[in-house]
Amino acid sequence: MAMVTTDAPAGTGRRRGGRGRVLAAALDQVERFPVLEPARDRALELIGRGVPPVELTEVVESDVGVAITTLRTAAQTSGRSHVSGAREAVEAISLEDLEAALRKADSYDPLERKPGAATDPERFRLHSLAVQRAGDAVVAATGSPDGDMVALTALLHDCGRLVLARLHAGYAERFDRRLGSPEERIASERRELGIDHALVGG
């Protein structure tokens, strides 16, 4: 934890406050990551049918935007400070609150690319699902009881990249996943940005 000293240069607090506001704005944008339209429509259909909350878990785990919207709704309405998986998040909130949040959320069509977007949400979603499938395989092979937590964590594991893409122009291209090993890219981020996406995501 950084300590504030009394001999800091004049104006330092203002500059730190400015950076803090920029970071907060970037985090806020990520919390409003667009939902995939078919996933949102499926979730709304299930809610309209009055299905038990557990049946929504699969939809929540299928899309980054739906998962983030569900977690944000749980944090805002349930009073719970922590949930370990999508099922727990859905069970912690009312379906009416989730429906309202999904209807209000920005959405995207996977066949349309919005010009000027910092991140391609569909490419991000597909990568996240690939990591989720790898996590599912590990859970199955080890018999881990933490399947729900692994599924949600895998889906959201790269959210730090979304934050950095909003803070640094050209980030997505400069630190493309196809350029070098994960270790090399993390080292490059730390060297050039002073931080890495894994730390930001955490």
Side-chain angles (χ1 to χ4, degrees):
M1 178 181 295
M3 296 183 65
V4 178
T5 61
T6 57
D7 57 350
T12 298
R14 287 192 296 274
R15 289 197 298 274
R16 285 180 178 170
R19 287 198 296 269
R21 285 192 295 272
V22 171
L23 177 59
L27 290 168
D28 185 68
Q29 285 182 316
V30 172
E31 286 193 1
R32 284 158 179 75
F33 191 80
V35 300
L36 177 69
E37 288 180 3
R40 179 201 59 194
D41 294 345
R42 175 60 175 162
L44 293 176
E45 175 194 351
L46 292 175
I47 292 172
R49 286 166 42 194
V51 301
V54 66
E55 292 191 28
L56 283 167
T57 300
E58 184 176 344
V59 181
V60 174
E61 291 178 345
S62 74
D63 180 60
V64 175
V66 173
I68 291 176
T69 299
T70 302
L71 291 173
R72 188 177 71 245
T73 303
Q76 292 174 342
T77 64
S78 71
R80 300 180 62 169
S81 60
H82 175 77
V83 294
S84 62
R87 176 174 178 171
E88 189 176 339
V90 172
E91 291 177 341
I93 58 181
S94 75
L95 294 186
E96 291 77 10
D97 287 337
L98 181 56
E99 178 181 13
L102 288 171
R103 291 190 182 280
K104 189 185 305 182
D106 291 337
S107 63
Y108 75 95
D109 183 329
L111 300 180
E112 296 180 0
R113 178 76 165 91
K114 291 186 178 180
T119 303
D120 180 350
E122 183 61 4
R123 180 182 175 190
F124 187 88
R125 184 183 75 91
L126 293 176
H127 168 74
S128 298
L129 290 177
V131 174
Q132 188 185 71
R133 285 195 294 272
D136 290 343
V138 171
V139 168
T142 61
S144 170
D146 300 320
D148 288 348
M149 181 179 67
V150 171
L152 186 61
T153 302
L155 187 67
L156 303 179
H157 80 281
D158 251 357
C159 281
R161 288 180 60 86
L162 300 176
V163 177
L164 292 181
R166 285 163 172 76
L167 293 176
H168 301 281
Y171 167 83
E173 294 76 18
R174 173 64 187 86
F175 301 102
D176 191 288
R177 298 186 187 91
R178 295 168 292 186
L179 303 177
S181 68
E183 293 79 9
E184 290 169 339
R185 288 186 283 110
I186 286 288
S188 294
E189 289 180 4
R190 291 173 181 168
R191 184 171 56 251
E192 297 184 31
L193 306 178
I195 199 168
D196 64 76
H197 74 274
L199 181 59
V200 174

